[in-house]
Structures are given as structure tokens and as C-alpha cells.
Amino acid sequence: EPEVTQTPSHQVTQMGQEVILRCVPISNHLYFYWYRQILGQKVEFLVSFYNNEISEKSEIFDDQFSVERPDGSNFTLKIRSTKLEDSAMYFCASSEVPDPDTQYFGPGTRLTVL
Amino acid sequence: AQSVTQPDIHITVSEGASLELRCNYSYGATPYLFWYVQSPGQGLQLLLKYFSGDTLVQGIKGFEAEFKRSQSSFNLRKPSVHWSDAAEYFCAVDPIKAAGNKLTFGGGTRVLVKP
């Protein structure tokens, strides 16, 4: 069964460094999302992406964040200058055109900022 | 305020017993409703969803959920729990019901299964 994949599974970085989290959505899905879950808190929406542009973004998704679909298969989340409070599990999700409301999630990348 | 609530943070159930997880939402119109499960070290797996129609929805792994408009609830049930059901369960809603819209998650319920 097709699934969303994410790399790396765990990323450790120093505060102020840039990180890029990678996702490969399910092939033929055209809607892409990033969510995050800070330890002990709710899963929170960050951004959605369709047709090579951001559809919606949350207040969390400020100027230090960016997303990109650099090729036909990858979807990336870049955090330009990481802060301690960016430590979280980041989930990528995708959905397809016939059923865009059903999102399928990847296993997540645990980001630890030291 | 618009929200989705899972009143139980932890539930402990014996293997073979039934399980019910509560989810309540507070939105003007009925949102799309989802249940996801997160097993230890895993991502979020979709168990089932409700958009419209029959209010009793069947999902994977033997789970079902019932939508009750009068109670603004979408509770998840399983008649007989297996040890592998130990996980965290999230109720999620899409109140806008538009393509590519965000999901709003409840706080989650962690299920422990006793032998």
C-alpha cells in the first residue's frame, strides 16, 4: 500500500542552524501538508500546499519557515534559523484530488534543537 | 470557541474488553470527522472518517465510530481490544470541508491494554 515517507527520522541540530525536513508524498497526491506535535501537546497544522503554492498557513508558520516541492516527488520544510521551541515531531501529509479531505500522514521526523 | 475535545487523557482497558473513546466538537456546522491512531514510534494512521450518510462508520482494525449530531460527538469503539491496540488515538475535524483544508486535532487519548 502506498505511504508517505519522511527523512530523516530524527534530526538533531544546534540553535540557529538551518534544517530541511524531507517528505515523499503518496504518488498522484496533489495536496501536501506539514503539521507538528510538540511533546505532550496537540498536533498542530503548519501549512498546506497545492499547485506549487501555499494554500493556507497557520500563525506558527512565520518567516523562518518555508516549503518547497523541488521536483515531482519531494516536498520539503525548511526552518531557516532553528530555535529551542522548534523541537517537535514534524509530520508530512498528503491527499489526492478525488478525496482531498482525507489526509495520509508520514511517520514523522523528530527534530531536536540544542 | 470552536474546538475538538477528547475528555479522557488516559484509558486503561483489559485485553478482550470493549473500548470507547470520546470525542466532542464545537462548531456551528457539522465538520468532517476523523479518527487517527499513533502507535509508539509510528506516524498517524487513519482509522476511519465521517463525511455524511450512515452515522455508524466502520474502520480498519475492527474499529467503528458513531456520529451523534445531537451530542456533537463522534465516539470511537472497539468490541474487544487486543494488546496491539495500545496506542494514542486522535480525533480530528475539518470544519471548512474544502479541498486541502487543515485538520484540527483533539488532545489525544492514550490507551493502555492490560493482559
Side-chain angles (χ1 to χ4, degrees):
Chain A
E1 185 176 327
E3 54 185 26
V4 177
T5 59
Q6 291 185 242
T7 54
S9 56
H10 191 188
Q11 173 100 43
V12 181
T13 190
Q14 296 290 325
M15 190 169 54
Q17 294 298 303
E18 174 182 288
V19 295
I20 297 176
L21 309 182
R22 291 184 167 78
C23 168
V24 178
I26 295 172
S27 116
N28 85 330
H29 283 199
L30 296 180
Y31 295 90
F32 313 117
Y33 314 81
W34 284 101
Y35 292 78
R36 78 174 185 188
Q37 184 183 26
I38 295 172
L39 190 63
Q41 298 187 23
K42 291 185 177 185
V43 177
E44 306 172 285
F45 168 78
L46 291 177
V47 66
S48 58
F49 189 88
Y50 172 71
N51 200 25
N52 281 319
E53 60 183 26
I54 290 174
S55 307
E56 183 180 5
K57 60 183 180 179
S58 70
E59 293 177 353
I60 304 167
F61 194 87
D62 60 22
D63 292 344
Q64 69 161 341
F65 291 94
S66 62
V67 289
E68 189 179 28
R69 185 151 166 86
D71 53 43
S73 58
N74 290 282
F75 179 53
T76 62
L77 174 69
K78 181 191 290 186
I79 309 175
R80 260 179 274 283
S81 177
T82 50
K83 305 171 189 170
L84 295 176
E85 53 266 35
D86 294 327
S87 294
M89 180 73 90
Y90 288 80
F91 293 106
C92 174
S94 68
S95 60
E96 60 178 343
V97 168
D99 183 15
D101 301 295
T102 302
Q103 298 178 25
Y104 295 89
F105 285 76
T109 292
R110 178 162 297 285
L111 176 66
T112 302
V113 182
L114 302 176
Chain B
Q2 297 182 332
S3 65
V4 54
T5 304
Q6 293 178 246
D8 304 303
I9 297 174
H10 291 103
I11 284 182
T12 300
V13 60
S14 296
E15 191 167 14
S18 63
L19 174 68
E20 181 166 10
L21 304 181
R22 295 183 290 164
C23 174
N24 296 99
Y25 61 88
S26 175
Y27 289 89
T30 301
Y32 289 161
L33 298 156
F34 305 83
W35 275 99
Y36 285 86
V37 60
Q38 184 179 28
S39 299
Q42 304 295 311
L44 296 164
Q45 183 181 22
L46 178 68
L47 285 175
L48 46 76
K49 62 187 179 185
Y50 175 77
F51 291 173
S52 65
D54 192 346
T55 57
L56 186 63
V57 180
Q58 299 299 318
I60 63 171
K61 304 186 177 188
F63 284 93
E64 65 178 26
E66 186 171 13
F67 166 64
K68 291 186 177 179
R69 185 188 305 276
S70 61
Q71 297 178 18
S72 297
S73 70
F74 188 55
N75 293 349
L76 182 72
R77 300 193 294 248
K78 186 167 184 177
S80 176
V81 168
H82 186 261
W83 64 265
S84 60
D85 294 321
E88 189 154 22
Y89 292 79
F90 293 93
C91 180
V93 305
D94 171 7
I96 307 298
K97 300 185 280 191
N101 200 59
K102 68 181 181 184
L103 295 178
T104 299
F105 283 82
T109 299
R110 186 169 297 280
V111 173
L112 302 175
V113 180
K114 293 190 302 185

